[in-house]
């Protein structure tokens, strides 16, 4: 039996260890900075979305010029100056956490430079009307800031680069969605796969500080407001199963398409993308402008406002719009710009849930089916069901739907696994191919 500690002696040792207190102060300061960075990122992204709306309102034809030009410029800057900023950013953080990454090469995946580039280039993509989100990139932004704390930590602090990256990634999710519990689960399910006891306090502290920064600016409100759902009965079983099946199939297909699109290919389009990436991005921008014109702007941007309208019962999503949002998000992610897929995935899932509610005539349960669709499609794309259902539960204050959201996420993730390899793990493996060939690394 382990003896109990002596209280007085434990307090004396704790107060006399100045290195430990200095390390804590540094970590807390950088966690607050990471939270402020995500807050600034959110404000800049919202401004960019409003800017694109103003551009389309000024001249309806302008997206046909503006979107190809923006996509081409962003890809040119990214590939020439900050290739590590491309994509969502979550695979880069996972690559940085890999044992294959030597400490000197960590800057290929996370750094202050990449964090700044990620903010500016993702906001530029939203200004260009691309179907991308800021939530996934917030993981790389916050992780890069937290990782930079390493240089200021005293020797023997016991805080590793691995712990800082996990804490930063978790803080990024928590601050981006205002979902602290989802940040912890994301750290376990996607980033670390396990949480060491000595790292758990660091992760929680980073989430609390980053979350406080977000709450102090935006208030303690849920991401999509509060939904009101009727009592969950057996009448919701068949519509719910249909939502899960459709989201699982669509999410698995989306993940597979994205992995294929970002992998080296020898077909005509793959060779063109590899040899002329800027021209390819411009062509993608032109296609996105055409899709946006067909849908009267419903596929432009992250889809946040559209999803909010669906949950509030103020909008509807015809099946064609959902399919075209699916295509526009795939094209936006595949063209090589920095940007995430979380927000667009939530929009697609919400659209599927809304369509099922209209198809079955169960309008009273529309909000519940929409929330289930959001959790199911996000889980199917990421194959991280626990993170997906907790994100949605916290975003819509859907604690009354815990079991249904959990079942939807788990079911859709299972269907997705029959179709596609895990998205982020596969993309992280592609990121590791950028490492120079060296001796096996020694991580601290």
């Amino acid at each position: 039996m382990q003896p109990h500690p002596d209280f007085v002696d434990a307090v004396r040792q704790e107060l006399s260890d100045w290195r430990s207190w200095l390390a804590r102060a540094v970590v807390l300061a950088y966690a607050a900075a990471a939270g402020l960075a995500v807050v600034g990122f959110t404000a800049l992204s919202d401004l960019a979305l409003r800017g694109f709306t103003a551009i389309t309102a000024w001249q309806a034809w302008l997206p046909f010029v503006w979107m190809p030009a923006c996509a081409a410029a962003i890809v040119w800057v990214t590939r020439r100056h900050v290739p590590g900023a491309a994509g969502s950013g979550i695979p880069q953080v996972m690559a940085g956490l890999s044992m294959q990454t030597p400490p000197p090469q960590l800057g290929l995946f996370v750094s202050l430079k990449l964090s700044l580039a990620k903010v500016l280039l993702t906001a530029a993509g939203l200004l260009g009307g691309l179907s991308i989100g800021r939530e996934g990139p917030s993981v790389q932004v916050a992780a890069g800031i937290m990782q930079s704390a390493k240089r200021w930590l005293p020797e023997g602090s016991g805080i590793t680069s691995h712990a800082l990256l996990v804490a930063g990634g978790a803080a990024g999710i928590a601050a981006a969605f205002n979902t602290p519990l989802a940040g912890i689960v994301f750290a376990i399910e996607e980033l670390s796969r396990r949480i060491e006891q000595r790292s758990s306090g660091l992760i929680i502290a980073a989430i609390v500080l980053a979350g406080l920064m977000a709450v102090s600016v935006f208030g303690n409100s849920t991401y999509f407001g509060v939904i009101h759902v009727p009592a969950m009965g057996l009448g919701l079983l068949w519509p719910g199963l249909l939502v899960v099946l459709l989201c699982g199939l669509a999410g698995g297909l989306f993940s597979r398409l994205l992995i294929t699109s970002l992998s080296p290919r020898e077909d005509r389009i793959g060779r063109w993308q590899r040899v002329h990436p800027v021209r390819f991005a411009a062509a993608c921008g032109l296609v996105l402008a055409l899709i946006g014109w067909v849908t009267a702007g419903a596929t432009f941007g992250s889809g946040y406002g559209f999803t909010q309208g669906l949950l509030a019962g103020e909008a509807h999503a015809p099946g064609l719009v959902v399919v075209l949002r699916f295509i526009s998000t795939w094209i936006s992610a595949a063209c090589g710009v920095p940007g995430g897929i979380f927000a667009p995935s939530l929009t697609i899932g919400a659209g599927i849930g809304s369509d099922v509610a209209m198809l079955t005539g169960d309008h009273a349960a529309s909000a519940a089916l929409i929330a289930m669709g959001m959790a199911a499609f996000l889980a199917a794309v990421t194959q991280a069901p626990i993170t997906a259902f907790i994100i949605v539960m916290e975003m819509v204050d859907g604690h009354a739907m815990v079991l249904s959201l959990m079942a939807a996420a788990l079911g859709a993730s299972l269907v997705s696994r029959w179709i596609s390899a895990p998205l982020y793990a596969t993309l992280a493996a592609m990121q590791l191919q950028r490492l120079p060939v060296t001796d096996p690394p020694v991580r601290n």
Side-chain angles (χ1 to χ4, degrees):
M1 180 176 177
Q2 186 175 356
H4 296 293
D6 180 84
F7 176 78
V8 175
D9 184 59
V11 171
R12 183 183 299 112
Q13 290 184 13
E14 184 72 20
L15 295 177
S16 64
D17 188 2
W18 66 269
R19 289 183 178 84
S20 175
W21 284 97
L22 176 60
R24 292 170 185 170
V26 169
V27 168
L28 293 179
Y30 272 82
L36 287 174
V38 174
V39 167
F41 190 13
T42 301
L44 185 61
S45 298
D46 291 343
L47 182 63
L49 288 169
R50 290 195 297 270
F52 180 77
T53 301
I55 289 171
T56 56
W58 179 45
Q59 294 289 345
W61 56 265
L62 200 53
F64 288 95
V65 178
W66 179 252
M67 294 182 72
C70 284
I74 293 168
V75 168
W76 182 85
V77 171
T78 302
R79 292 180 67 89
R80 184 176 180 86
H81 298 289
V82 281
S88 79
I90 294 175
Q92 286 91 324
V93 176
M94 294 174 68
L97 289 166
S98 171
M99 293 298 294
Q100 299 180 42
T101 303
Q105 302 297 332
L106 197 56
L108 288 172
F109 308 120
V110 286
S111 68
L112 283 177
K113 177 183 177 181
L114 288 177
S115 294
L116 178 61
K118 197 74 169 189
V119 169
L120 297 178
L121 293 174
T122 302
L126 292 170
L127 181 62
L130 305 182
S131 182
I132 57 177
R134 59 167 176 81
E135 294 78 13
S138 296
V139 173
Q140 188 180 17
V141 171
I145 292 173
M146 285 295 292
Q147 168 60 25
S148 63
K150 180 70 174 176
R151 68 174 63 183
W152 303 108
L153 294 176
E155 292 290 336
S157 65
I159 300 176
T160 64
S161 296
H162 185 281
L164 290 170
L165 284 178
V166 173
I173 284 290
F177 284 116
N178 193 18
T179 54
L181 182 57
I184 296 173
V185 174
F186 176 76
I188 298 172
E189 189 174 32
E190 276 289 357
L191 297 183
S192 180
R193 307 287 176 176
R194 59 183 175 83
I195 295 295
E196 299 176 0
Q197 183 178 1
R198 63 180 181 179
S199 302
S200 59
L202 171 63
I203 293 170
I204 294 174
I207 288 173
V208 168
L209 265 294
L212 282 176
M213 297 302 106
V215 169
S216 64
V217 175
F218 300 116
N220 191 21
S221 58
T222 54
Y223 190 87
F224 283 125
V226 179
I227 65 171
H228 301 282
V229 298
M232 310 293 285
L234 290 178
L236 198 63
L237 178 61
W238 292 114
L241 287 175
L242 183 57
V243 168
V244 171
L245 179 60
L246 291 175
C247 287
L249 293 172
L253 177 61
F254 180 87
S255 178
R256 185 164 179 164
L257 285 172
L258 193 53
I259 290 172
T260 301
S261 302
L262 296 175
S263 301
R265 310 188 314 280
E266 291 304 322
D267 57 85
R268 180 179 298 180
I269 296 178
R271 288 194 300 269
W272 184 40
Q273 181 180 9
R274 185 173 62 254
V275 177
H276 302 290
V278 176
R279 296 180 190 177
F280 178 80
C284 290
L286 186 60
V287 173
L288 292 171
L290 178 61
I291 294 174
W293 177 74
V294 169
T295 60
T299 59
F300 289 144
S302 64
Y304 170 82
F306 189 74
T307 307
Q308 197 170 37
L310 286 175
L311 283 168
E314 300 169 354
H316 68 281
L320 179 61
V321 172
V322 176
V323 172
L324 292 178
R325 166 63 77 169
F326 178 103
I327 295 172
S328 64
T329 303
W330 166 44
I331 293 174
S332 297
C335 75
V337 300
I341 59 172
F342 271 52
S345 293
L346 292 170
T347 300
I348 296 168
I352 293 174
S354 176
D355 285 345
V356 169
M358 294 183 65
L359 179 66
T360 59
D362 196 351
H363 301 292
S366 178
L369 291 174
I370 289 171
M372 290 173 64
M374 293 164 65
F377 190 82
L378 183 60
V381 171
T382 62
Q383 293 187 14
I386 303 177
T387 300
F389 97 77
I390 290 180
I391 282 178
V392 174
M393 181 190 70
E394 290 191 282
M395 283 195 310
V396 301
D397 195 17
H399 294 83
M401 295 184 60
V402 170
L403 294 179
S404 57
L405 291 177
M406 187 185 303
L410 290 173
S413 179
L414 175 61
V415 174
S416 174
R417 292 172 194 270
W418 300 339
I419 301 172
S420 173
L423 176 63
Y424 289 134
T426 305
L427 296 182
M430 294 182 191
Q431 287 288 330
L432 290 171
Q433 295 175 6
R434 299 171 51 217
L435 288 171
V437 178
T438 59
D439 294 329
V442 177
R443 298 298 298 271
N444 57 8

